[in-house]
């Protein structure tokens, strides 16, 4: 398995994202080409892809890492970790996470955050196995219309 940073949107990557996003949840909206292209071109966001079994393999997973500055320092967050349901249990998500951790460190972030639904037991175990600690905090969401 190999993890790559997406520097240019291709039809292959867009097709993979269209296949993977619904696997995160039926309520998730597939981005348009322009929306995904804006993400790829963003200075603060990094889209990672994982190919399996090697650099010639198909795209089996994605992860988005965002590094951003706040008044108290540099932070980072992982979003949309998705591995094709047919390709799970092969170390793909772990490879994506370890690459994201490395990039966050290189970017100067003091923390790397993520949220995960408690029902995603395997994912939550993975995050803890690579060093994430469960926080006892209130998580809030404001839906903008």
């Amino acid at each position: 398995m190999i993890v790559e940073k997406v520097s240019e949107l291709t039809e292959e990557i867009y097709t993979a994202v269209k296949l993977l996003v619904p696997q995160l949840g039926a309520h998730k909206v597939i981005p348009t080409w322009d929306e995904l292209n804006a993400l790829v071109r963003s200075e603060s966001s990094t889209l990672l892809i994982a190919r399996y079994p090697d650099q010639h393999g198909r795209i089996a997973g994605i992860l988005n890492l965002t590094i951003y500055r706040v008044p108290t320092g540099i932070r980072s967050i992982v979003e949309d970790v998705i591995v094709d349901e047919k390709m799970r249990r092969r170390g793909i998500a772990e490879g994506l996470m370890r690459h994201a951790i490395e990039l966050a460190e290189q970017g100067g972030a003091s923390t790397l955050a993520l949220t995960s639904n408690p029902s995603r037991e395997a994912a939550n175990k993975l995050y803890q196995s690579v060093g994430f600690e469960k926080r006892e905090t209130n998580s809030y969401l404001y839906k903008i219309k």
Side-chain angles (χ1 to χ4, degrees):
M1 190 249 335
I2 186 164
V3 176
E4 304 170 358
K5 178 181 175 181
V6 175
S7 58
E8 183 178 341
L9 185 58
T10 65
E11 192 61 44
E12 177 197 23
I13 293 168
Y14 185 60
T15 298
V17 168
K18 290 192 300 184
L19 171 79
L20 292 167
V21 166
Q23 294 181 38
L24 193 58
H27 62 286
K28 297 296 181 180
V29 177
I30 296 171
T32 65
W33 176 278
D34 289 339
E35 290 168 338
L36 192 58
N37 197 38
L39 174 82
V40 168
R41 296 193 181 291
S42 169
E43 289 187 25
S44 61
S45 292
T46 300
L47 181 63
L48 299 177
I49 60 171
R51 293 183 180 277
Y52 189 89
D54 56 28
Q55 70 270 20
H56 304 294
R58 70 182 197 86
I59 297 170
I62 61 172
L63 175 152
N64 192 82
L65 170 68
T66 302
I67 300 174
Y68 57 99
R69 177 168 287 285
V70 295
T72 56
I74 299 174
R75 307 282 189 269
S76 58
I77 187 165
V78 165
E79 298 273 358
D80 295 349
V81 180
I82 316 167
V83 173
D84 189 327
E85 57 196 10
K86 299 173 196 157
M87 303 295 290
R88 293 181 182 162
R89 307 264 189 269
R90 299 177 196 205
I92 296 166
E94 180 177 352
L96 285 163
M97 291 301 301
R98 291 194 184 281
H99 200 88
I101 291 167
E102 184 178 310
L103 289 175
E105 288 174 350
Q106 290 172 2
S110 59
T111 60
L112 177 57
L114 65 81
T115 61
S116 184
N117 189 311
S119 68
R120 298 182 65 221
E121 293 178 18
N124 284 285
K125 286 180 184 176
L126 166 69
Y127 302 143
Q128 291 178 35
S129 77
V130 297
F132 284 82
E133 299 173 6
K134 185 177 178 188
R135 295 188 304 170
E136 295 300 324
T137 187
N138 295 331
S139 179
Y140 298 95
L141 178 69
Y142 183 87
K143 291 192 177 189
I144 299 174
K145 299 175 185 175

